[in-house]
Amino acid sequence: MLSSALGRAGAVTTAIALTMASAVAVTTAPARAALVPLFHPTVSDYAQVSASETPPTQDQCFSVGRRCFTPQSTRAAYDVNALYSQGLDGRGMTIAIVDAYGSDTIAHDLHVYDQAFGLAPMCGEEGVACAAGMPTFGQFHFQGSPATKPQPGKGTHQEDKSAWALEVSLDVETAHAIAPGANILLVTTPTAETLGVQGFPTMMNAEQYVVDHHMANVVSQSFGSAEDAFGSPQSLLKLRHAFVSAAQNGITVLASTGDDGTANQRKSPVGGPNPAPVIPYPTVGWPASDPLVTGVGGTYLCTDPNNVAARVVDSADPPAKCQANPGVAEVGWTFSGGGYSHVFSRPSYQATLPAGSTPIPASARGVPDIALQASAGTGALVYLTLPPDGQSGLICGSAPCSTGWYDIGGTSLSCPQWAGLVAIADQLNGGGLGLINPALYKVAADPAKYAADYYDVTVGNNQADPTVPGYPATTGWDPITGLGTPDAATLLPALVLASH
């Protein structure tokens, strides 16, 4: 499979002509260093809030300066409950979640999560008897399944796997929370967190296999690298084959935009500076920047985390960003990746934007397309099992993390939840929608539909590094939250209609 998938790279340029965008190098950015990219999960910030199997109280979360969202309060914030009442929960659809390494304990962790929040059990989670009509949780290990444990000894620790186990729990649990009737397929590869030559190619080959064998309707990618960390645009373009195939086969592909705002990193050679050097000009991450991928940015979700019935603004409780913006339901997350591609020109679907939008030049694809909650300050609760000897490799403050409940953020949170929403839209459609970007922008181009179907986020800035300029959130599209966040009950039906 490796050789056949890589062989598709030569046909990518021709296949791109079938899509809504061109892929050309843009010369406005400074010269790129000839380095392989840093490849990492986009879970950015986490705090262990409880060490038991019982979820923490909101007061426990407030005590560490955060508000913690449950599946029920997130659903209320984005008006998903109205869809469930119509029997729309993603049933019959499959979400492929792609992560390096996987997690040895995800079947157990998913069961604890579902029991804690009263979610529909999945065939394949620990301790559950399978029955007809149940959604299925499965795992597909592309090229094997190494244990998710830290690298021993005094090596480079470029293959520590604990961060990916945390990523897996986040992705699987939150996707299931949004689309409780959908099947979930965890797709893993045995590749190092820091790329070398095997990381991205193997990951993309795994996705190609999933597409070729019709294993999913939606693909969620909570990983990425700065476009400008690649040695050349050509080295990035040859990796797009799975996205081209997905678009041709009615499969939607989403990706996190990253958790560094506009300030991404280069790859640091072994023995080089740690952290890796920051690229000294605004950049965006790939694969979120790919025109065949829906890029998902992030917000601070400043709604009541205890309200499970409606979207109610809460400007009194932590974090400080919500308290500083009274009456505002969502603020553009400071660390939400976004900006303008240096590889891809503006796709035709971004030519028409809502009134008041930040302009997107014809020379560059704008990132992201849409957004959802991402700040760990307004994050989601996730359950994770870690080794009892404190040797997981994850550190919480100054001590090793342990098994329990974590409040987690990052565009790793916004992406799988959006994948759940797409699965619901696919169910409504009666099958996969494929590339949804043209339909997202088509809906937004109608002022009445835009006002009804999106929550326009107009406050915030994604300058995460004082040395690298960021962008402000504006009316309409902007380089932090894209078109905004969804009123799911109205946007998803509109998305289906706009796709036909």
Side-chain angles (χ1 to χ4, degrees):
M1 184 58 203
L2 275 172
S3 58
S4 61
L6 287 173
R8 301 174 201 274
V12 166
T13 303
T14 301
I16 291 171
L18 302 175
T19 72
M20 304 293 291
S22 60
V24 295
V26 176
T27 58
T28 55
R32 300 170 180 80
L35 296 169
V36 293
L38 178 69
F39 170 62
H40 52 84
T42 50
V43 54
S44 66
D45 184 19
Y46 55 88
Q48 185 171 1
V49 191
S50 169
S52 75
E53 290 193 354
T54 302
T57 65
Q58 205 59 236
D59 285 341
Q60 286 177 275
C61 295
F62 291 158
S63 71
V64 292
R66 302 163 181 254
R67 66 182 74 182
C68 300
F69 282 85
T70 66
Q72 288 77 14
S73 55
T74 297
R75 293 166 172 180
Y78 292 111
D79 196 16
V80 189
N81 289 321
L83 297 168
Y84 301 146
S85 66
Q86 302 171 51
L88 298 171
D89 59 4
R91 68 187 63 179
M93 303 298 120
T94 299
I95 303 168
I97 291 172
V98 185
D99 283 315
Y101 302 122
S103 166
D104 301 332
T105 63
I106 183 58
H108 169 75
D109 296 347
L110 177 62
H111 184 61
V112 173
Y113 183 85
D114 287 349
Q115 290 286 104
F117 293 124
L119 300 183
M122 302 189 76
C123 173
E125 73 179 61
E126 183 180 271
V128 170
C130 297
M134 288 179 63
T136 299
F137 171 66
Q139 302 187 54
F140 171 58
H141 302 297
F142 187 75
Q143 297 186 338
S145 178
T148 51
K149 59 185 180 182
Q151 181 182 6
K154 298 181 179 180
T156 63
H157 289 273
Q158 291 180 343
E159 297 190 14
D160 283 346
K161 304 171 178 65
S162 49
W164 286 99
L166 183 64
E167 178 70 66
V168 168
S169 282
L170 172 62
D171 293 347
V172 171
E173 292 169 15
T174 60
H176 179 53
I178 295 297
N183 305 314
I184 293 179
L185 178 67
L186 175 61
V187 180
T188 70
T189 61
T191 48
E193 181 175 338
T194 301
L195 268 182
V197 297
Q198 80 279 18
F200 261 132
T202 303
M203 192 72 77
M204 295 301 102
N205 290 337
E207 293 188 17
Q208 185 71 57
Y209 188 95
V210 169
V211 171
D212 288 345
H213 292 81
H214 310 288
M215 298 167 72
N217 307 95
V218 189
V219 176
S220 178
Q221 305 171 112
S222 289
F223 55 81
S225 171
E227 286 182 339
D228 302 70
F230 285 84
S232 68
Q234 289 69 34
S235 63
L236 181 157
L237 294 175
K238 71 180 182 181
L239 297 171
R240 307 182 70 222
H241 51 85
F243 305 153
V244 174
S245 297
Q248 294 170 341
N249 284 275
I251 297 171
T252 305
V253 182
L254 304 101
S256 305
T257 60
D259 301 344
D260 297 301
T262 57
N264 293 291
Q265 295 176 326
R266 299 194 189 279
K267 163 68 171 64
S268 180
V270 174
N274 187 19
V278 172
I279 299 169
Y281 50 86
T283 54
V284 295
W286 185 86
S289 68
D290 199 297
L292 295 176
V293 172
T294 302
V296 187
T299 69
Y300 299 88
L301 180 57
C302 302
T303 61
D304 183 355
N306 292 310
N307 196 314
V308 299
R311 180 182 175 95
V312 177
V313 177
D314 174 2
S315 304
D317 292 314
K321 187 66 72 170
C322 293
Q323 296 167 333
N325 291 278
V328 177
E330 288 185 89
V331 176
W333 185 41
T334 303
F335 300 94
S336 176
Y340 303 96
S341 173
H342 295 154
V343 175
F344 300 100
S345 61
R346 186 183 68 197
S348 60
Y349 56 72
Q350 288 190 320
T352 302
L353 300 174
S357 293
T358 303
I360 301 176
S363 60
R365 153 121 161 95
V367 181
D369 298 299
I370 34 79
L372 211 79
Q373 69 176 135
S375 167
T378 61
L381 289 171
V382 168
Y383 188 81
L384 174 67
T385 300
L386 292 174
D389 58 5
Q391 299 301 309
S392 70
L394 284 181
I395 301 297
C396 291
S398 59
C401 301
S402 63
T403 294
W405 289 94
Y406 289 75
D407 178 66
I408 302 182
T411 51
S412 278
L413 172 58
S414 53
C415 185
Q417 291 187 114
W418 246 105
L421 294 176
V422 174
I424 295 173
D426 286 345
Q427 179 193 355
L428 182 61
N429 185 58
L433 288 167
L435 179 65
I436 62 172
N437 295 359
L440 288 170
Y441 288 88
K442 181 179 179 180
V443 171
D446 182 318
K449 290 181 179 178
Y450 185 58
D453 299 346
Y454 289 89
Y455 298 119
D456 188 10
V457 183
T458 61
V459 178
N461 189 291
N462 67 346
Q463 183 173 14
D465 185 307
T467 68
V468 181
Y471 302 100
T474 63
T475 298
W477 184 91
D478 59 67
I480 310 176
T481 64
L483 295 169
T485 61
D487 183 320
T490 58
L491 178 57
L492 298 191
L495 184 63
V496 172
L497 287 175
S499 298
H500 295 281

